[in-house]
Amino acid sequence: MHELTKVPSTRRPDLHVATEGEFRGWRTWIRDSFESHIGPFWHKIEDDGSVRCAFRVEKKHLNGSGNVHGGCFMAFADYCLFAIATHELDGPAVTTNFACDFLDAAREGQLVECTGEVSRAGGSLIFLRGKLASAGRPLFTFSGTIKRVKRKPALQANA
């Protein structure tokens, strides 16, 4: 567990809340080792029920030109899909479709924020869209589809 977080509930032991720093009170998931490695990415449920996501750009997020790497924007947007769908999800899910448009660059030190919405939530599919921005400047738009899945037994090595 990250030293600045605590577990909010036993229902989601991978969901942690920052207890100090810039993102105090914001949530993150730690089960996804790739996101934990490239993040931290954060999300917060606003008073109106909407979800806002954010991360502070660090050197590790940059490409060779000194801008946020496109893959970082895409990974963050995928994280945002699941955060935005938080009210619709009650179990495991996977991204089945993702589309995006790169609009502008972000640099080290900037705060990248995401807002979005669930366009439609059906029985097994959730359709979403969102926008990344920094200081009100649009950076990236995306849409995606999440599929609810049933847990499968873990595969055993050498089986």
Side-chain angles (χ1 to χ4, degrees), residues 1-9 12-20 24-28 30 42:
M1 175 169 45
H2 191 277
E3 67 266 7
L4 302 179
T5 63
K6 64 178 180 179
V7 179
S9 76
R12 288 291 312 258
D14 63 321
L15 182 65
H16 291 261
V17 178
T19 57
E20 58 186 65
R24 183 177 186 198
W26 290 60
R27 302 167 178 207
T28 191
I30 62 164
W42 300 95

Side-chain angles (χ1 to χ4, degrees), residues 54-144:
F55 77 100
R56 179 69 64 184
V57 178
E58 299 176 29
K59 186 173 182 147
K60 67 180 179 178
H61 300 127
L62 306 179
N63 62 21
S65 298
N67 298 314
V68 172
H69 192 284
C72 181
F73 273 164
M74 293 170 76
F76 176 57
D78 187 63
Y79 172 94
C80 295
L81 287 174
F82 288 83
I84 293 165
T86 197
H87 301 302
E88 306 295 335
L89 291 173
D90 56 3
V94 296
T95 305
T96 60
N97 186 49
F98 184 87
C100 63
D101 291 299
F102 295 90
L103 307 175
D104 205 347
R107 310 279 293 183
E108 188 173 356
Q110 293 181 330
L111 179 68
V112 175
E113 296 182 278
C114 175
T115 56
E117 65 182 359
V118 173
S119 303
R120 182 175 188 277
S124 65
L125 297 176
I126 305 169
F127 301 88
L128 307 104
R129 61 183 170 190
K131 177 175 71 172
L132 308 185
S134 182
R137 183 173 44 88
L139 302 172
F140 182 94
T141 59
F142 64 95
S143 62

